[in-house]
Short mmCIF file of all heavy atoms in Angstrom, two decimals:
data_model
loop_
_atom_site.label_atom_id
_atom_site.label_comp_id
_atom_site.label_asym_id
_atom_site.label_seq_id
_atom_site.Cartn_x
_atom_site.Cartn_y
_atom_site.Cartn_z
N LYS T 382 -26.21 -16.48 5.26
CA LYS T 382 -27.36 -15.66 5.67
C LYS T 382 -28.37 -16.59 6.34
O LYS T 382 -28.13 -17.79 6.50
CB LYS T 382 -27.99 -14.96 4.49
CG LYS T 382 -28.51 -15.94 3.38
CD LYS T 382 -29.08 -15.13 2.23
CE LYS T 382 -29.56 -16.06 1.11
NZ LYS T 382 -30.13 -15.29 -0.02
N ASN T 383 -29.50 -16.02 6.75
CA ASN T 383 -30.59 -16.83 7.28
C ASN T 383 -31.41 -17.33 6.09
O ASN T 383 -32.32 -16.63 5.63
CB ASN T 383 -31.47 -16.00 8.23
CG ASN T 383 -32.48 -16.85 8.97
OD1 ASN T 383 -33.19 -17.64 8.39
ND2 ASN T 383 -32.51 -16.70 10.29
N HIS T 384 -31.04 -18.47 5.56
CA HIS T 384 -31.70 -18.98 4.35
C HIS T 384 -33.15 -19.32 4.56
O HIS T 384 -33.98 -19.13 3.62
CB HIS T 384 -30.91 -20.21 3.85
CG HIS T 384 -29.56 -19.90 3.32
ND1 HIS T 384 -29.36 -19.50 2.02
CD2 HIS T 384 -28.36 -19.88 3.92
CE1 HIS T 384 -28.08 -19.27 1.82
NE2 HIS T 384 -27.45 -19.50 2.97
N LEU T 385 -33.51 -19.78 5.77
CA LEU T 385 -34.92 -20.08 5.99
C LEU T 385 -35.77 -18.81 5.90
O LEU T 385 -36.78 -18.79 5.25
CB LEU T 385 -35.08 -20.79 7.35
CG LEU T 385 -36.54 -21.20 7.65
CD1 LEU T 385 -36.58 -22.62 8.22
CD2 LEU T 385 -37.24 -20.23 8.57
N TRP T 386 -35.34 -17.78 6.62
CA TRP T 386 -36.08 -16.52 6.63
C TRP T 386 -36.17 -15.97 5.23
O TRP T 386 -37.22 -15.50 4.76
CB TRP T 386 -35.43 -15.54 7.57
CG TRP T 386 -36.17 -14.25 7.76
CD1 TRP T 386 -36.00 -13.10 7.03
CD2 TRP T 386 -37.16 -13.99 8.70
NE1 TRP T 386 -36.83 -12.12 7.51
CE2 TRP T 386 -37.59 -12.64 8.54
CE3 TRP T 386 -37.77 -14.75 9.74
CZ2 TRP T 386 -38.58 -12.07 9.31
CZ3 TRP T 386 -38.74 -14.19 10.51
CH2 TRP T 386 -39.13 -12.85 10.29
N ASP T 387 -35.06 -16.07 4.48
CA ASP T 387 -35.01 -15.54 3.15
C ASP T 387 -35.96 -16.26 2.22
O ASP T 387 -36.73 -15.66 1.46
CB ASP T 387 -33.57 -15.61 2.62
CG ASP T 387 -33.45 -15.03 1.22
OD1 ASP T 387 -33.58 -13.80 1.04
OD2 ASP T 387 -33.22 -15.81 0.30
N GLN T 388 -35.97 -17.58 2.29
CA GLN T 388 -36.82 -18.36 1.39
C GLN T 388 -38.29 -18.21 1.73
O GLN T 388 -39.13 -18.05 0.86
CB GLN T 388 -36.41 -19.83 1.42
CG GLN T 388 -35.02 -20.08 0.83
CD GLN T 388 -34.65 -21.56 0.82
OE1 GLN T 388 -35.51 -22.45 0.93
NE2 GLN T 388 -33.38 -21.85 0.71
N VAL T 389 -38.60 -18.22 3.01
CA VAL T 389 -40.01 -18.12 3.42
C VAL T 389 -40.58 -16.72 3.11
O VAL T 389 -41.67 -16.57 2.54
CB VAL T 389 -40.20 -18.44 4.88
CG1 VAL T 389 -41.64 -18.16 5.34
CG2 VAL T 389 -39.83 -19.87 5.16
N SER T 390 -39.77 -15.71 3.40
CA SER T 390 -40.27 -14.32 3.23
C SER T 390 -40.40 -13.96 1.77
O SER T 390 -41.18 -13.05 1.46
CB SER T 390 -39.33 -13.37 3.92
OG SER T 390 -38.05 -13.30 3.28
N ARG T 391 -39.71 -14.66 0.87
CA ARG T 391 -39.77 -14.29 -0.54
C ARG T 391 -40.62 -15.18 -1.40
O ARG T 391 -40.73 -14.99 -2.59
CB ARG T 391 -38.33 -14.27 -1.07
CG ARG T 391 -37.42 -13.22 -0.44
CD ARG T 391 -36.06 -13.17 -1.10
NE ARG T 391 -36.18 -12.80 -2.52
CZ ARG T 391 -36.33 -11.53 -2.92
NH1 ARG T 391 -36.40 -10.56 -2.02
NH2 ARG T 391 -36.44 -11.29 -4.21
N PHE T 392 -41.29 -16.16 -0.76
CA PHE T 392 -42.13 -17.05 -1.55
C PHE T 392 -43.40 -16.33 -2.04
O PHE T 392 -44.09 -15.65 -1.22
CB PHE T 392 -42.52 -18.27 -0.72
CG PHE T 392 -43.52 -19.17 -1.41
CD1 PHE T 392 -43.08 -20.00 -2.48
CD2 PHE T 392 -44.84 -19.18 -1.04
CE1 PHE T 392 -43.99 -20.80 -3.13
CE2 PHE T 392 -45.73 -19.99 -1.71
CZ PHE T 392 -45.32 -20.81 -2.74
N ALA T 393 -43.72 -16.50 -3.27
CA ALA T 393 -44.94 -15.96 -3.83
C ALA T 393 -45.54 -16.96 -4.79
O ALA T 393 -44.85 -17.76 -5.40
CB ALA T 393 -44.65 -14.62 -4.58
N MET T 394 -46.86 -16.87 -4.93
CA MET T 394 -47.52 -17.78 -5.86
C MET T 394 -47.17 -17.41 -7.30
O MET T 394 -46.91 -16.29 -7.63
CB MET T 394 -49.06 -17.65 -5.69
CG MET T 394 -49.57 -18.22 -4.39
SD MET T 394 -49.32 -20.01 -4.31
CE MET T 394 -50.18 -20.41 -2.83
N GLY T 395 -47.17 -18.45 -8.16
CA GLY T 395 -46.93 -18.23 -9.56
C GLY T 395 -45.47 -18.05 -9.93
O GLY T 395 -45.15 -17.60 -11.03
N GLN T 396 -44.55 -18.40 -9.04
CA GLN T 396 -43.14 -18.31 -9.36
C GLN T 396 -42.73 -19.37 -10.34
O GLN T 396 -43.36 -20.42 -10.49
CB GLN T 396 -42.26 -18.44 -8.09
CG GLN T 396 -42.40 -17.29 -7.13
CD GLN T 396 -41.66 -17.58 -5.82
OE1 GLN T 396 -41.65 -18.69 -5.37
NE2 GLN T 396 -41.05 -16.56 -5.27
N ASP T 397 -41.67 -19.11 -11.10
CA ASP T 397 -41.16 -20.12 -12.00
C ASP T 397 -40.68 -21.32 -11.22
O ASP T 397 -40.34 -21.21 -10.06
CB ASP T 397 -39.98 -19.56 -12.82
CG ASP T 397 -40.39 -18.48 -13.79
OD1 ASP T 397 -41.60 -18.43 -14.10
OD2 ASP T 397 -39.54 -17.64 -14.15
N LYS T 398 -40.65 -22.50 -11.89
CA LYS T 398 -40.22 -23.70 -11.19
C LYS T 398 -38.85 -23.58 -10.61
O LYS T 398 -38.54 -24.07 -9.54
CB LYS T 398 -40.29 -24.90 -12.12
CG LYS T 398 -41.69 -25.53 -12.19
CD LYS T 398 -41.63 -26.85 -12.89
CE LYS T 398 -42.99 -27.57 -12.81
NZ LYS T 398 -42.95 -28.86 -13.45
N LYS T 399 -37.95 -22.88 -11.31
CA LYS T 399 -36.61 -22.75 -10.84
C LYS T 399 -36.54 -21.93 -9.52
O LYS T 399 -35.66 -22.10 -8.69
CB LYS T 399 -35.69 -22.07 -11.88
CG LYS T 399 -36.10 -20.64 -12.21
CD LYS T 399 -35.19 -20.07 -13.29
CE LYS T 399 -35.63 -18.71 -13.75
NZ LYS T 399 -35.52 -17.71 -12.68
N ASP T 400 -37.56 -21.06 -9.31
CA ASP T 400 -37.63 -20.33 -8.07
C ASP T 400 -38.23 -21.12 -6.96
O ASP T 400 -38.24 -20.73 -5.79
CB ASP T 400 -38.46 -19.03 -8.29
CG ASP T 400 -37.79 -18.06 -9.22
OD1 ASP T 400 -36.56 -18.01 -9.19
OD2 ASP T 400 -38.49 -17.42 -10.02
N HIS T 401 -38.77 -22.31 -7.30
CA HIS T 401 -39.42 -23.15 -6.31
C HIS T 401 -38.40 -24.14 -5.65
O HIS T 401 -38.76 -24.92 -4.79
CB HIS T 401 -40.57 -23.94 -6.91
CG HIS T 401 -41.84 -23.17 -6.90
ND1 HIS T 401 -43.05 -23.78 -7.15
CD2 HIS T 401 -42.12 -21.86 -6.68
CE1 HIS T 401 -44.03 -22.88 -7.09
NE2 HIS T 401 -43.47 -21.71 -6.83
N MET T 402 -37.17 -24.07 -6.08
CA MET T 402 -36.14 -24.96 -5.48
C MET T 402 -35.67 -24.32 -4.18
O MET T 402 -34.58 -23.85 -4.04
CB MET T 402 -35.00 -25.18 -6.46
CG MET T 402 -35.39 -25.96 -7.71
SD MET T 402 -34.02 -26.11 -8.84
CE MET T 402 -32.91 -27.15 -7.88
N LYS T 403 -36.60 -24.29 -3.20
CA LYS T 403 -36.34 -23.68 -1.92
C LYS T 403 -36.40 -24.76 -0.85
O LYS T 403 -37.42 -25.19 -0.38
CB LYS T 403 -37.38 -22.59 -1.61
CG LYS T 403 -37.53 -21.55 -2.72
CD LYS T 403 -36.30 -20.70 -2.83
CE LYS T 403 -36.53 -19.56 -3.81
NZ LYS T 403 -35.30 -18.77 -4.04
N ASP T 404 -35.22 -25.24 -0.46
CA ASP T 404 -35.15 -26.39 0.43
C ASP T 404 -35.69 -26.07 1.83
O ASP T 404 -36.41 -26.89 2.42
CB ASP T 404 -33.71 -26.86 0.54
CG ASP T 404 -33.07 -26.94 -0.83
OD1 ASP T 404 -33.45 -27.83 -1.60
OD2 ASP T 404 -32.17 -26.13 -1.12
N ALA T 405 -35.40 -24.90 2.38
CA ALA T 405 -35.83 -24.57 3.71
C ALA T 405 -37.33 -24.24 3.76
O ALA T 405 -37.98 -24.39 4.78
CB ALA T 405 -35.01 -23.36 4.26
N LEU T 406 -37.86 -23.69 2.68
CA LEU T 406 -39.28 -23.37 2.62
C LEU T 406 -40.15 -24.60 2.90
O LEU T 406 -41.15 -24.52 3.62
CB LEU T 406 -39.63 -22.77 1.23
CG LEU T 406 -41.10 -22.52 0.94
CD1 LEU T 406 -41.66 -21.44 1.91
CD2 LEU T 406 -41.29 -22.08 -0.51
N ASP T 407 -39.80 -25.74 2.34
CA ASP T 407 -40.61 -26.94 2.51
C ASP T 407 -40.66 -27.39 3.97
O ASP T 407 -41.78 -27.71 4.47
CB ASP T 407 -40.10 -28.09 1.63
CG ASP T 407 -40.70 -28.07 0.25
OD1 ASP T 407 -41.89 -27.70 0.14
OD2 ASP T 407 -40.02 -28.40 -0.71
N VAL T 408 -39.53 -27.39 4.69
CA VAL T 408 -39.56 -27.85 6.05
C VAL T 408 -40.33 -26.84 6.92
O VAL T 408 -40.89 -27.20 7.96
CB VAL T 408 -38.17 -28.10 6.61
CG1 VAL T 408 -37.51 -29.29 5.90
CG2 VAL T 408 -37.25 -26.86 6.52
N PHE T 409 -40.33 -25.59 6.52
CA PHE T 409 -41.16 -24.60 7.23
C PHE T 409 -42.63 -24.91 7.06
O PHE T 409 -43.41 -24.84 8.05
CB PHE T 409 -40.86 -23.21 6.70
CG PHE T 409 -41.84 -22.13 7.18
CD1 PHE T 409 -41.69 -21.60 8.44
CD2 PHE T 409 -42.88 -21.75 6.40
CE1 PHE T 409 -42.59 -20.65 8.89
CE2 PHE T 409 -43.80 -20.78 6.82
CZ PHE T 409 -43.67 -20.26 8.08
N MET T 410 -43.07 -25.30 5.88
CA MET T 410 -44.51 -25.55 5.67
C MET T 410 -44.92 -26.91 6.19
O MET T 410 -46.05 -27.06 6.71
CB MET T 410 -44.81 -25.43 4.17
CG MET T 410 -44.64 -24.02 3.59
SD MET T 410 -45.26 -23.80 1.91
CE MET T 410 -44.11 -24.83 0.98
N TYR T 411 -44.06 -27.90 6.13
CA TYR T 411 -44.41 -29.19 6.64
C TYR T 411 -44.69 -29.17 8.15
O TYR T 411 -45.60 -29.89 8.65
CB TYR T 411 -43.30 -30.22 6.38
CG TYR T 411 -43.28 -30.76 5.00
CD1 TYR T 411 -42.11 -30.89 4.26
CD2 TYR T 411 -44.49 -31.23 4.38
CE1 TYR T 411 -42.08 -31.43 2.98
CE2 TYR T 411 -44.44 -31.79 3.09
CZ TYR T 411 -43.26 -31.88 2.40
OH TYR T 411 -43.24 -32.40 1.14
N GLY T 412 -43.93 -28.37 8.93
CA GLY T 412 -44.11 -28.36 10.35
C GLY T 412 -45.51 -28.06 10.82
O GLY T 412 -46.12 -28.89 11.55
N PRO T 413 -46.11 -26.94 10.45
CA PRO T 413 -47.49 -26.67 10.84
C PRO T 413 -48.49 -27.70 10.34
O PRO T 413 -49.47 -28.04 11.05
CB PRO T 413 -47.80 -25.29 10.26
CG PRO T 413 -46.44 -24.67 10.11
CD PRO T 413 -45.52 -25.77 9.74
N LEU T 414 -48.30 -28.22 9.13
CA LEU T 414 -49.24 -29.19 8.57
C LEU T 414 -49.19 -30.48 9.35
O LEU T 414 -50.23 -31.14 9.54
CB LEU T 414 -48.91 -29.42 7.10
CG LEU T 414 -49.16 -28.22 6.20
CD1 LEU T 414 -48.63 -28.49 4.77
CD2 LEU T 414 -50.62 -27.86 6.13
N ILE T 415 -48.03 -30.88 9.83
CA ILE T 415 -47.93 -32.12 10.63
C ILE T 415 -48.44 -31.93 12.02
O ILE T 415 -49.17 -32.76 12.58
CB ILE T 415 -46.46 -32.58 10.66
CG1 ILE T 415 -46.00 -33.05 9.25
CG2 ILE T 415 -46.25 -33.70 11.69
CD1 ILE T 415 -44.50 -33.30 9.14
N ALA T 416 -48.08 -30.77 12.64
CA ALA T 416 -48.39 -30.61 14.07
C ALA T 416 -49.78 -30.03 14.33
O ALA T 416 -50.38 -30.30 15.37
CB ALA T 416 -47.34 -29.67 14.70
N LEU T 417 -50.27 -29.23 13.40
CA LEU T 417 -51.55 -28.52 13.66
C LEU T 417 -52.68 -29.02 12.75
O LEU T 417 -53.86 -28.68 12.99
CB LEU T 417 -51.34 -27.00 13.44
CG LEU T 417 -50.26 -26.36 14.30
CD1 LEU T 417 -50.15 -24.88 13.98
CD2 LEU T 417 -50.54 -26.56 15.77
#
Side-chain angles (χ1 to χ4, degrees):
K382 60 182 178 179
N383 189 310
H384 290 274
L385 183 137
W386 186 268
D387 181 68
Q388 292 182 20
V389 173
S390 67
R391 296 185 62 80
F392 174 74
M394 290 295 187
Q396 292 174 324
D397 293 338
K398 275 192 173 182
K399 64 182 175 64
D400 294 323
H401 275 194
M402 294 178 65
K403 306 293 186 185
D404 313 291
L406 172 65
D407 271 325
V408 293
F409 169 80
M410 294 189 293
Y411 279 135
L414 293 172
I415 292 170
L417 303 178

